[in-house]
Amino acid sequence: MPWFKKETHLLPDPRKVKFPEGLWVKCNNCRGIIYRKELIRSAKVCPKCDYHFPISVNERLAMVADEGSFSEWETAITPLDPLKFKDGQRYTDRLKRNKEKTGYPDALVLGEGKIAGRPVVLAVQNFSFMAGSMGSVVGEKLARGIERAKEKKLPLILFCASGGARMQEGVLSLMQMAKTSAAIARFQAERGLLISILTDPTFGGVTASFAMLGDIIMAEPKSLIGFAGPRVIQQTIKEKLPKGFQRAEFLLEHGMIDMVVARSAMRATLIQLLSFF
């Protein structure tokens, strides 16, 4: 006869226990489970492996620019559907849904702000809008931003986050590679300063054009950066890729970028660079 009798009717039925959704987040790098509030407190940096999660445009601007200094440009430019494209849904419907979700008309936010009192032009890609894909609006806004930075003789700081060119616009999206690269060449010919910051992920036509044309190229830790994805490359060359391939640290080691800077040190690093130049 047992000393204690387990009162099973007092225990909750595990099938009926409900846990609130969204309390935990899985890290894209180490696959560890992180308490969401802890992740927010750490500026969305994994406390286990230092992976920097993607953040919103507003969060990015708040971390870098002086409070209340940012003024957005070119807000009236909106994308069209020249190819009348349709895959799982119409391109126009996809654009509408992403605009409602993000509050922005496309995947690039452009404007003038100040960093420690110094005026700069800021261009931030919005990964939440169709994976930050580069279409005709992204290319046009960036080209206009580069031209205005040249006219005003201001440094241009570019935060990249993109899956590449926007397939729904076909060759028109690929043309933005040439347009933005030409604008940057004119800007740099006038001794304009371009600081490019690569975040996770930066891929495709964006990497193959304006993202890698900065006078100084920085990246956040553990960011995945490249043209084609590592799985595609491995299947193509039929060889095992080295550890950390296409991560920011690997690119730094092989001379593709200039520095890897933690999110917490990004503003201080930009202040130092702007002061130096």
Side-chain angles (χ1 to χ4, degrees):
M1 182 178 176
W3 285 94
F4 299 101
K5 185 179 179 181
K6 182 183 277 188
E7 300 288 346
T8 55
H9 67 279
L10 297 178
L11 299 175
D13 186 343
R15 294 170 298 180
K16 296 181 179 179
V17 175
K18 293 184 179 180
F19 294 95
E21 293 183 6
L23 285 178
W24 303 91
V25 180
K26 182 182 284 189
C27 177
N28 296 333
N29 182 60
C30 69
R31 315 308 291 176
I33 304 300
I34 313 160
Y35 187 44
R36 184 177 291 275
K37 287 187 178 180
E38 181 183 358
L39 186 65
I40 293 171
R41 284 196 295 268
S42 63
K44 294 189 177 177
V45 176
C46 177
K48 299 177 181 179
C49 71
D50 200 36
Y51 168 73
H52 285 46
F53 281 77
I55 59 175
S56 69
V57 171
N58 293 338
E59 288 172 322
R60 181 75 66 187
L61 291 171
M63 288 180 182
V64 173
D66 296 351
E67 186 176 357
S69 68
F70 182 74
S71 176
E72 191 176 354
W73 294 345
E74 308 294 352
T75 57
I77 305 178
T78 56
L80 302 175
D81 184 15
L83 304 180
K84 308 301 178 188
F85 193 93
K86 181 181 179 182
D87 48 5
Q89 60 181 294
R90 294 183 185 278
Y91 181 39
T92 50
D93 294 338
R94 196 182 295 274
L95 288 170
K96 182 180 179 181
R97 182 165 56 86
N98 278 270
K99 184 176 180 179
E100 291 171 352
K101 180 180 73 171
T102 64
Y104 290 101
D106 211 277
L108 183 79
V109 176
L110 172 74
E112 183 177 343
K114 291 183 179 180
I115 298 179
R118 296 177 183 272
V120 296
V121 175
L122 289 161
V124 184
Q125 283 192 277
N126 188 355
F127 193 78
S128 296
F129 194 106
M130 293 187 67
S133 53
M134 176 183 62
S136 54
V137 168
V138 170
E140 179 65 19
K141 287 180 74 170
L142 183 56
R144 292 188 187 190
I146 295 166
E147 291 298 328
R148 289 179 71 171
K150 180 162 67 76
E151 292 169 6
K152 289 173 167 279
K153 299 188 183 301
L154 295 178
L156 173 63
I157 299 174
L158 174 60
F159 285 92
C160 303
S162 177
R166 188 171 298 173
M167 59 171 282
Q168 290 86 353
E169 294 186 19
V171 71
L172 295 176
S173 66
L174 298 178
M175 290 168 62
Q176 308 313 310
M177 297 170 63
K179 180 163 67 177
T180 55
S181 297
I184 289 171
R186 292 192 296 270
F187 177 64
Q188 292 174 331
E190 296 291 327
R191 296 182 177 273
L193 173 65
L194 172 60
I195 300 175
S196 180
I197 299 133
L198 315 180
T199 68
D200 187 62
T202 301
F203 264 86
V206 170
T207 305
S209 57
F210 58 82
M212 301 300 287
L213 293 177
D215 299 291
I216 299 167
I217 304 174
M218 301 191 290
E220 290 188 329
K222 305 290 191 301
S223 294
L224 196 59
I225 302 158
F227 181 68
R231 182 166 26 180
V232 174
I233 294 172
Q234 186 162 306
Q235 290 172 348
T236 302
I237 66 175
K238 307 292 191 233
E239 290 184 18
K240 188 176 181 180
L241 299 174
K243 186 178 180 181
F245 180 73
Q246 291 188 325
R247 292 290 177 184
E249 293 75 10
F250 185 91
L251 269 65
L252 176 64
E253 184 181 343
H254 290 80
M256 294 290 289
I257 62 176
D258 298 307
M259 61 181 82
V260 176
V261 181
R263 188 169 289 164
S264 58
M266 186 62 71
R267 177 177 161 86
T269 303
L270 288 173
I271 291 172
Q272 186 177 23
L273 289 172
L274 292 171
S275 299
F276 179 80
F277 284 100

